[in-house]
Amino acid sequence: MLRKVVVCAVAVLGSAALNAVPATAIVGGSPATPESAPYQVSVQSEGWLGKSHVCGGFLLSANKVITAAHCVDGAAVPKLEVQWGGLNRDKLPMSSSVTKITIHPQYNSADLANDVAVLTLSKSATEADGVKFARLATSDPATGADVTVTGWGRNQRDSTNVPQQLQAAQLPVLSRDSCAAVYSEPGAPFDTTGRFCAGPANSEKAVCNGDGGGPAVLGGAVFGITSGGGPGCEKPSLFSSASYFKRWLESQ
């Protein structure tokens, strides 16, 4: 979930970002199974060395993909491609070019508020061969519940390498007060409207570089869109609330 970056360490955004930086791989995860995220996609961008994985995302319908706004902010439509249909990001059997990028009109790159976007595909996906369309939750997950996150981002904080196999981890949801406390600074309270935090306090499991835009799933429904985390991927992870943005996402 790097913004305009493919496989680099995330730059700290400064005090205005309230210590929140775009999320980029699963730290402390394990290889995902086909059932973990049948709607998972890899959002890729054309560069000097060809197409490379930039962020995650997931299929909402035949030609709509949900991802994080920071993943595609400033991206050129002709350079984007979405691939899906498997666990190995280098051997995903289905792909489509992108015809339209729709970023939430209130997206704020400084603090990652409203960090959601919808990509329109030129080629329709089908629910076959293990591929499914995601169902968005109608409420936020309960405090303490474990959401399953998936991604091809970094799985070690001190490495720029990203795994070929999709990784998965379960993260416990924090209370809104705990989430705000993690990211607030003196004189700059953190607004949790439209988002939630998940992850153990010791950060042994977290999203990291390359995971942005991916799903946070509970009970077969997508409850969150991976947004960001603290510098070095050492804070509980931030997710945009699927239920909060449900109407907007489904209307695009």
Side-chain angles (χ1 to χ4, degrees):
M1 306 103 145
L2 293 177
R3 180 176 171 229
K4 302 181 184 178
V5 181
V6 177
V7 189
C8 295
V10 184
V12 178
L13 294 181
S15 60
L18 304 176
N19 287 327
V21 299
T24 57
I26 304 292
V27 172
S30 57
T33 65
E35 296 78 23
S36 297
Y39 24 73
Q40 175 85 39
V41 307
S42 169
V43 178
Q44 305 199 2
S45 181
E46 184 76 37
W48 291 106
L49 300 178
K51 291 184 175 66
S52 299
H53 173 81
V54 177
C55 272
F58 56 94
L59 291 164
L60 179 64
S61 62
N63 68 338
K64 298 293 182 180
V65 164
I66 294 176
T67 189
H70 76 258
C71 293
V72 292
D73 184 21
V77 170
K79 291 184 177 294
L80 289 183
E81 181 176 278
V82 174
Q83 298 182 4
W84 68 93
L87 303 177
N88 187 326
R89 63 177 171 79
D90 291 334
K91 297 179 180 180
L92 297 174
M94 275 77 82
S95 65
S96 173
S97 58
V98 173
T99 61
K100 184 180 180 182
I101 300 170
T102 307
I103 292 175
H104 193 280
Q106 276 78 55
Y107 167 61
N108 186 335
S109 61
D111 67 357
L112 298 181
N114 307 298
D115 187 19
V116 293
V118 176
L119 306 180
T120 302
L121 305 181
S122 62
K123 176 184 176 181
S124 295
T126 58
E127 289 190 298
D129 299 323
V131 174
K132 296 181 180 179
F133 301 145
R135 173 172 59 90
L136 300 182
T138 56
S139 63
D140 282 346
T143 299
D146 286 335
V147 292
T148 299
V149 295
T150 49
W152 283 286
R154 288 188 334 197
N155 52 15
Q156 295 182 36
R157 295 183 180 88
D158 57 354
S159 172
T160 59
N161 294 326
V162 292
Q164 288 183 317
Q165 290 298 118
L166 187 69
Q167 300 292 298
Q170 289 190 320
L171 306 180
V173 176
L174 303 185
S175 68
R176 290 198 175 275
D177 287 345
S178 296
C179 182
V182 167
Y183 286 99
S184 292
E185 291 185 342
F190 188 75
D191 186 0
T192 60
T193 301
R195 51 190 171 182
F196 63 89
C197 290
N202 61 6
S203 71
E204 64 182 7
K205 295 181 180 181
V207 296
C208 198
N209 304 43
D211 291 329
V217 179
L218 176 64
V222 174
F223 278 77
I225 300 99
T226 302
S227 178
C233 314
E234 294 179 346
K235 288 188 176 184
S237 307
L238 278 173
F239 300 89
S240 299
S241 166
S243 64
Y244 185 87
F245 293 105
K246 186 175 188 293
R247 180 175 297 180
W248 183 85
L249 291 168
E250 293 179 342
S251 69
Q252 303 311 304

